[in-house]
Amino acid sequence: NAGVTQTPKFRVLKTGQSMTLLCAQDMNHEYMYWYRQDPGMGLRLIHYSVGEGTTAKGEVPDGYNVSRLKKQNFLLGLESAAPSQTSVYFCASSYDPADSNQPQHFGDGTRLSIL
Amino acid sequence: GQQVMQIPQYQHVQEGEDFTTYCNSSTTLSNIQWYKQRPGGHPVFLIQLVKSGEVKKQKRLTFQFGEAKKNSSLHITATQTTDVGTYFCAGLGGYGQNFVFGPGTRLSVLP
């Protein structure tokens, strides 16, 4: 039972470099989310998707792009990394959150440092 | 936009003492979820509350949803060292497709 898998687990980038974080889920969930977690600030939603081919902005979308070409995958891209994007990134997936008892399942996170 | 606040930010207790964290939303919620994150880990779902005034129990944990569906609480009776971690509430607005997380309460339990 893989659940939600994030790759890579760690990455160090230089300012201005680009990279893509990968998220894959095997639970046939419609909804997928990308969060960033910074000390004392909880989880802040970057972008999310309610189904294959759809994406929407969350609370802190600037500097990030996403794609959901396949239902099981949700990609987060940083086009030009900045030190302010140093954070731990979590991907999550779920069924419709408005339905009863539909938890979000989280991956193990990607620790990203921008120098 | 919707904001979710939690207090306290940190709580240090002696093992065996009780612990409570409070969650408040700026808007009425359709439902609220609680998660626990161990140090170095990822958030893990604990429970979801949907009905006004709802109370749910999981062993030593008691969860409440306020009558106005704008606040919630998590109470742990007789804490144990295994309770260490950060507890997050996450609220879903009436027409929302995504949950807004509170900043969390970090619990330390001294043996």
Side-chain angles (χ1 to χ4, degrees), chain B residues 48-76:
Chain B
Q48 177 169 304
L49 304 171
V50 180
K51 299 176 182 177
S52 169
E54 188 170 15
V55 178
K56 286 188 176 180
K57 293 189 176 183
Q58 288 180 349
K59 298 182 179 178
R60 295 178 294 105
L61 279 61
T62 302
F63 303 84
Q64 292 188 332
F65 202 7
E67 293 290 342
K69 300 184 73 173
K70 294 183 71 174
N71 57 75
S72 181
S73 65
L74 159 59
H75 179 82
I76 302 178

Side-chain angles (χ1 to χ4, degrees), chain A residues 5-81:
Chain A
T5 303
Q6 290 184 235
T7 55
K9 296 191 183 307
F10 305 93
R11 186 72 184 269
V12 178
L13 291 178
K14 294 182 179 178
T15 298
Q17 287 185 316
S18 63
M19 80 162 295
T20 300
L21 279 64
L22 312 179
C23 178
Q25 54 96 3
D26 62 0
M27 295 171 282
N28 202 34
H29 286 158
E30 288 292 335
Y31 288 67
M32 295 188 74
Y33 311 85
W34 274 108
Y35 295 93
R36 60 177 289 172
Q37 184 173 38
D38 302 293
M41 301 192 71
L43 293 153
R44 291 185 293 169
L45 184 65
I46 304 171
H47 286 280
Y48 65 100
S49 169
V50 303
E52 181 179 322
T54 74
T55 63
K57 294 181 179 180
E59 180 186 356
V60 288
D62 294 343
Y64 305 95
N65 57 75
V66 289
S67 64
R68 183 99 181 266
L69 298 180
K70 293 183 178 180
K71 185 177 184 178
Q72 62 268 34
N73 297 333
F74 196 29
L75 309 181
L76 177 70
L78 285 73
E79 290 186 347
S80 180

Side-chain angles (χ1 to χ4, degrees), chain B:
Chain B
Q2 179 186 348
Q3 291 186 327
V4 177
M5 295 147 283
Q6 278 184 261
I7 55 170
Q9 187 175 3
Y10 302 97
Q11 185 79 56
H12 305 276
V13 300
Q14 205 74 34
E15 189 173 20
E17 292 182 338
D18 292 355
F19 159 76
T20 304
T21 174
Y22 299 92
C23 177
N24 292 285
S25 171
S26 59
T27 60
T28 302
L29 302 171
S30 63
N31 66 64
I32 193 163
Q33 294 181 342
W34 285 91
Y35 291 81
K36 176 184 178 181
Q37 184 178 26
R38 295 181 184 274
H42 60 267
V44 175
F45 175 78
L46 294 175
I47 207 160
Q48 177 169 304
L49 304 171
V50 180
K51 299 176 182 177
S52 169
E54 188 170 15
V55 178
K56 286 188 176 180
K57 293 189 176 183
Q58 288 180 349
K59 298 182 179 178
R60 295 178 294 105
L61 279 61
T62 302
F63 303 84
Q64 292 188 332
F65 202 7
E67 293 290 342
K69 300 184 73 173
K70 294 183 71 174
N71 57 75
S72 181
S73 65
L74 159 59
H75 179 82
I76 302 178
T77 303
T79 55
Q80 300 175 359
T81 54
T82 53
D83 295 325
V84 165
T86 301
Y87 293 85
F88 295 98
C89 63
L92 183 69
Y95 301 98
Q97 295 173 315
N98 55 272
F99 283 85
V100 175
F101 279 77
T105 296
R106 182 181 295 180
L107 173 64
S108 297
V109 180
L110 305 176

